[in-house]
Amino acid sequence: MSMFGQVFVKDNKYKLKGDFHHMTPNTPIRNADDDYKLLGITNPRDMTYMHSYGGEAIFFESLSKRKLLATRCDDAGCDSHGTIYIPFRIYCPDCLSKNTVIDLTDIAKKTATIHTFMECQRSGAFNIMDKPIKFINIEFDGVATILMSYLSVGEPKFNMKVVPIFKTSEPTFTILDLSWVAEGTTEDQLPEGFSF
Ligand SMILES: [Zn+2]
């Protein structure tokens, strides 16, 4: 019985469970312009990649709990002392000391606006987002950086106020668990599995 490969860590080691290799038959590649003569074969390969989040793990875990985390340099000797970063930076890019993790959820709910945006009618392989994808770059009061994300409800406009939503039902623990909607959107308009 085949199952997806699953991974957990015990005693500081990766422990693997399930099937990481699937036997899929190869098929011939033939030339339709020359009497279907054999040119080669396909070699199907299935891969389970173990992506470690390291110091960013708490950011993804927190999304499932309706919390948006950022980081701040608290090194008094650093020129960037007090600077707040989101996307979540584990280390200060200026002094390289470990940043303090802060909760940005309230600031995001009150002050997030669209800096700029783009709409994509097509997407690449393995993309599961609904099209058109409305990518937005978001500004927050007191934050030095701009966050790239996507708008789920509303039409993006410059300086438009947006509020965060979180995939709390069956979270994927990826950045897709965070999305945004136009201010004034009601709970019943949110995509499935998301809440404020
Ligand atoms: Zn610093």
Side-chain angles (χ1 to χ4, degrees), residues 72-83 85 91-99:
R72 183 183 61 214
C73 177
D74 282 340
D75 183 341
C78 175
D79 286 349
S80 299
H81 175 251
T83 303
Y85 302 105
Y91 295 97
C92 172
D94 292 322
C95 68
L96 304 182
S97 64
K98 195 154 190 181
N99 281 337

Side-chain angles (χ1 to χ4, degrees), residues 76-148:
C78 175
D79 286 349
S80 299
H81 175 251
T83 303
I84 297 174
Y85 302 105
I86 189 168
F88 192 95
R89 289 182 179 171
I90 304 162
Y91 295 97
C92 172
D94 292 322
C95 68
L96 304 182
S97 64
K98 195 154 190 181
N99 281 337
T100 305
V101 176
I102 62 166
D103 188 338
L104 201 77
T105 319
D106 279 345
I107 289 171
K109 285 183 177 177
K110 288 175 192 148
T111 74
T113 57
I114 294 180
H115 176 76
T116 189
F117 61 93
M118 65 177 171
E119 201 174 289
C120 291
Q121 301 289 338
R122 295 186 178 84
S123 61
F126 305 113
N127 193 309
I128 52 169
M129 298 168 77
D130 291 334
K131 288 179 278 293
I133 306 168
K134 296 161 188 172
F135 289 108
I136 55 175
N137 290 78
I138 306 160
E139 287 183 48
F140 308 92
D141 272 5
V143 175
T145 49
I146 282 173
L147 179 71
M148 178 94 167

